[in-house]
Amino acid sequence: GDSVTQMEGPVTLSEEAFLTINCTYTATGYPSLFWYVQYPGEGLQLLLKATKADDKGSNKGFEATYRKETTSFHLEKGSVQVSDSAVYFCALRTPSGNTPLVFGKGTRLSVIA
Amino acid sequence: DTAVSQTPKYLVTQMGNDKSIKCEQNLGHDTMYWYKQDSKKFLKIMFSYNNKELIINETVPNRFSPKSPDKAHLNLHINSLELGDSAVYFCASSQGLHDYGYTFGSGTRLTVV
C-alpha cells in the first residue's frame, strides 16, 4: 500500500541554521505530496504542497520539490527561527477516488536561540 | 470564523463510559474524516464520509461509530471506553479531490482513566 517514510527525530537546531527533513514515499500512480506542520497543542496546518513531478511547493521560507525519480519530497528552510519549533508531517494522496491522506510518522523540530 | 471546529477540546472520562465528539465544517467540503493521533504523534485514518456516506472504515473497533447527519457534520461516538482509546482525535475535511489537502480541526484530547 501507499506509505510515507520520514527521517526520525527529534531534530534540534540553533536559530538561523539550515533545515532539511527527509521524506520518501511509495505509491501507485502519481500522488500529490504535502507537508503539514503541527505547533504545540494545535491541529495540523497545511504548510505546502506539490501535485506533479518537479513542482516546488513553498511557504513561509520552507520549500520542497517533488522528485519522481527518487520518490522524495524533502523539506528545507535556509534559516530556521525559534517559532518554527513544531512537528512536521509529510503526506501523500493518490488520485483514485476519495483516498485519504497517508501521513509519515512526523519529525519533531526544536530550534534553540 | 473557525473552518473545522471540534468539541470538546478536552475530555476526561472513566473506563466503560460512552462519549461523543462533535465536528462541524463551514467550508462547503464534501468529505470529512476522523484521525487518531497516538502519544508518539502517529496519525491513523479511522473513518471517511463523502456527502454523508461512509467511504472508509479502517480496522477500528466497532465500539467507535461515526455519524454524519449532513455533509457539514461528522460526529464520533465511542462506547465502552478503554484505556487504550486515550489519544488526540482530529476531524478534517477536504474537497474530495486528490490534489487538495485537508483542513484540520484543533483536536480533542481524550483521556480515559
Side-chain angles (χ1 to χ4, degrees), chain B residues 6-65:
Chain B
Q6 292 180 231
T7 53
K9 189 169 175 67
Y10 299 97
L11 183 54
V12 181
T13 188
Q14 291 187 326
M15 274 196 304
N17 283 350
D18 303 338
K19 291 293 178 185
S20 292
I21 306 172
K22 295 186 177 181
C23 179
E24 176 181 5
Q25 55 97 0
N26 62 7
L27 298 166
H29 288 170
D30 293 330
T31 311
M32 297 183 72
Y33 310 83
W34 278 109
Y35 277 81
K36 179 180 180 181
Q37 185 176 46
D38 63 22
S39 58
K40 295 184 178 179
K41 299 293 187 183
F42 183 62
L43 282 154
K44 183 173 170 55
I45 183 74
M46 299 175 70
F47 301 103
S48 172
Y49 269 74
N50 180 256
N51 282 320
K52 303 193 297 175
E53 288 190 31
L54 179 67
I55 55 172
I56 294 173
N57 182 354
E58 292 295 308
T59 50
V60 176
N62 59 14
R63 298 180 296 102
F64 290 78
S65 53

Side-chain angles (χ1 to χ4, degrees), chain A residues 2-83:
Chain A
D2 300 339
S3 65
V4 174
T5 302
Q6 283 181 244
M7 61 187 288
E8 293 280 336
V11 174
T12 303
L13 295 173
S14 297
E15 225 172 6
E16 299 183 4
F18 184 85
L19 168 71
T20 300
I21 301 178
N22 289 339
C23 170
T24 57
Y25 67 89
T26 302
T28 52
Y30 300 96
S32 294
L33 302 174
F34 305 85
W35 277 100
Y36 278 81
V37 58
Q38 184 179 25
Y39 297 104
E42 297 184 14
L44 281 76
Q45 302 173 27
L46 179 63
L47 182 59
L48 53 85
K49 70 174 184 179
T51 57
K52 59 183 187 299
D54 300 325
D55 268 2
K56 177 186 282 188
S58 62
N59 186 24
K60 300 181 181 179
F62 290 89
E63 292 183 342
T65 301
Y66 191 143
R67 300 284 188 204
K68 185 170 177 294
E69 64 276 12
T70 54
T71 61
S72 65
F73 193 54
H74 305 321
L75 182 69
E76 296 182 335
K77 186 174 185 183
S79 176
V80 293
Q81 305 300 312
V82 171
S83 57

